Amino acid sequence: MLVWLFGWLGQYYTPFSAVSSLTLRALLAVITALVFSMMFGGRVIRHLRTLKYGQAIRNDGPQSHLAKTGTPTMGGVLILSAIGVSTLLWARLDNPYVWILLVVMVVFGAVGWADDWLKIKYKDPKGLIARKKYFWLSMGALFVGVSLYYIATLQPDIATTREMQDLLLPVFKNWIIPFSALPFGIGFIIFTYFVINGASNAVNLTDGLDGLAILPVVLVAAGLGAMAYVSGDVRFADYLHVPYIAYNSEVIIVCGSMIGAGLGFLWFNAHPAQVFMGDVGALALGAMLGTIAVMTRQEIAFAIMGGLFVAEALSVMLQVGSYKLRKKRVFRMAPLHHHFEEIGWKETQVVARFWIIAIILVILGLMTLKLR
């Protein structure tokens, strides 16, 4: 029913997807999203200022950040709008993976929007109640897990069905973790849930300095786009020993849209930031990256490419765990980028050095394809 619905929608709305070259459409998606962001970025910022959607800054954070109080937030709306417009223009809409990614963007973006709105309304950086926030994030992640499992079961041969569920281990050619061996897709769905929610919250934790999160998001989206291109082409998939999943061919259009939208947003988010993306952007972008990693069956390579996000999330977990167990802190302040600020690094130094690390990690993640 789900695949039939996507196919029906695609028949009646495919404005530019008739362009035969996938590479050309991916490049046009980048350009479209970039131009959209650049054209409407200034207007969105002015509108947010008019509405007084200013960021509430934590009192327990670095004191230098208090000067940022009132900077417009919820700029993630600009990013998601650019992604949505570009994807709808250039992707084949009979592809269920495209629609799943758009649903993820809307659901996680809506949760982030509610969180940002409450922070602004009550001038409180806590935002949405934790249990409500994680309930809806969990619903979004479970929707992806169940949908991808259902699509996998519709494949014509058992080998493809298994490949769309099993966890691929990089470097090792024939080593996998066989989630498909568990009944009803339980292992695959649970693993998908943790990948998506983990990625969503990790990107959100990273978004604490001007431009810090958005460029790594762009870089990882580019890396995952390459993974999608490879796994969506039967020749490359066979040569590089990765699962061939035909639906992934259109995922590169979404990745291209994320790249263009992210670069356009960075123009306004670079230090000193004119706008912050807020949870509406960070939660949605992280969830989309996690979903693409699952679709391409490159979750471990994704963890390598997004190692910066992983480190930020782990720093918070270690800090909280250590304080609860030992009443001692591991870092001067968490997430990790605040620790380096506290030891004397300037904000621009932290951001630039973290960007360099992100570039290196994406290259390492891509290298796992050839090392297999």
Side-chain angles (χ1 to χ4, degrees):
M1 181 66 180
L2 188 68
V3 175
W4 177 87
L5 176 60
F6 294 144
W8 180 81
L9 286 169
Q11 289 178 355
Y12 291 96
Y13 186 72
T14 53
F16 297 114
S17 62
V19 176
S20 59
S21 173
L22 177 63
T23 305
L24 177 60
R25 285 192 287 119
L27 291 173
L28 289 171
V30 174
I31 295 170
T32 301
L34 175 61
V35 171
F36 184 98
S37 298
M38 297 293 289
M39 283 181 60
F40 293 99
R43 301 179 191 181
V44 169
I45 293 171
R46 287 193 294 271
H47 188 60
L48 290 172
R49 283 185 180 142
T50 300
L51 295 174
K52 298 183 179 180
Y53 284 6
Q55 177 74 42
I57 304 297
R58 292 168 44 192
N59 292 325
D60 57 345
Q63 295 301 302
S64 60
H65 288 204
L66 295 177
K68 299 182 181 184
T69 301
T71 301
T73 187
M74 298 178 73
V77 172
L78 174 66
I79 305 173
L80 303 189
S81 299
I83 293 172
V85 169
S86 183
T87 299
L88 291 172
L89 285 175
W90 297 109
R92 287 183 56 87
L93 301 184
D94 56 352
N95 186 312
Y97 278 16
V98 171
W99 284 105
I100 288 172
L101 285 167
L102 290 176
V103 170
V104 167
M105 183 183 76
V106 171
V107 171
F108 281 77
V111 175
W113 184 91
D115 197 29
D116 287 334
W117 167 248
L118 291 173
K119 290 176 183 177
I120 295 166
K121 182 178 180 180
Y122 296 107
K123 305 297 181 183
D124 184 353
K126 293 182 180 179
L128 191 64
I129 297 174
R131 66 175 181 272
K132 290 184 179 180
K133 181 177 180 179
Y134 288 109
F135 171 80
W136 289 110
L137 294 182
S138 297
M139 291 298 100
L142 289 173
F143 161 77
V144 175
V146 172
S147 298
L148 293 181
Y149 170 71
Y150 174 72
I151 291 171
T153 61
L154 297 178
Q155 302 311 302
D157 59 274
I158 296 176
T160 304
T161 300
R162 288 174 176 170
E163 284 186 333
M164 292 177 72
Q165 298 178 60
D166 293 336
L167 176 62
L168 186 69
L169 298 179
V171 181
F172 303 102
K173 186 181 297 185
N174 298 313
W175 287 20
I176 61 170
I177 296 178
F179 287 138
S180 59
L182 297 175
F184 310 112
I186 293 174
F188 173 77
I189 292 171
I190 293 175
F191 183 69
T192 298
Y193 167 87
F194 283 111
V195 170
I196 294 173
N197 264 333
S200 179
N201 285 286
V203 172
N204 194 31
L205 289 170
T206 306
D207 184 35
L209 301 179
D210 297 351
L212 177 60
I214 191 60
L215 186 60
V217 165
V218 168
L219 295 170
V220 175
L224 288 175
M227 298 287 192
Y229 186 84
V230 167
S231 61
D233 187 297
V234 66
R235 297 163 299 175
F236 289 131
D238 180 65
Y239 174 69
L240 294 170
H241 301 283
V242 298
Y244 167 63
I245 304 171
Y247 294 127
N248 279 332
S249 60
E250 291 299 309
V251 171
I252 190 175
I253 306 300
V254 182
C255 292
S257 300
M258 293 177 70
I259 292 168
L263 290 175
F265 180 76
L266 180 59
W267 183 270
F268 304 100
N269 186 234
H271 184 79
Q274 297 173 254
V275 65
F276 301 139
M277 77 165 74
D279 288 7
V280 61
L283 290 177
L285 292 173
M288 292 178 75
L289 291 177
T291 302
I292 295 169
V294 174
M295 288 174 169
T296 57
R297 310 309 300 132
Q298 296 292 339
E299 297 92 340
I300 295 179
F302 168 58
I304 297 172
M305 291 190 289
L308 181 63
F309 304 134
V310 175
E312 293 276 22
L314 286 177
S315 70
V316 173
M317 295 168 63
L318 288 172
Q319 187 85 326
V320 173
S322 177
Y323 190 77
K324 286 185 176 181
L325 293 174
R326 306 185 305 148
K327 301 300 180 184
K328 294 182 180 180
R329 292 180 172 85
V330 178
F331 305 99
R332 292 194 180 184
M333 188 176 293
L336 188 61
H337 53 265
H338 288 326
H339 169 78
F340 288 102
E341 284 188 290
E342 290 296 302
I343 65 174
W345 289 16
K346 294 180 180 179
E347 180 175 350
T348 50
Q349 287 180 305
V350 176
V351 172
R353 290 168 181 175
F354 276 36
W355 282 356
I356 294 170
I357 293 170
I359 293 170
I360 295 170
L361 291 173
V362 170
I363 293 172
L364 291 175
L366 288 173
M367 285 174 61
T368 62
L369 280 175
K370 193 58 180 174
L371 290 173
R372 187 168 287 105

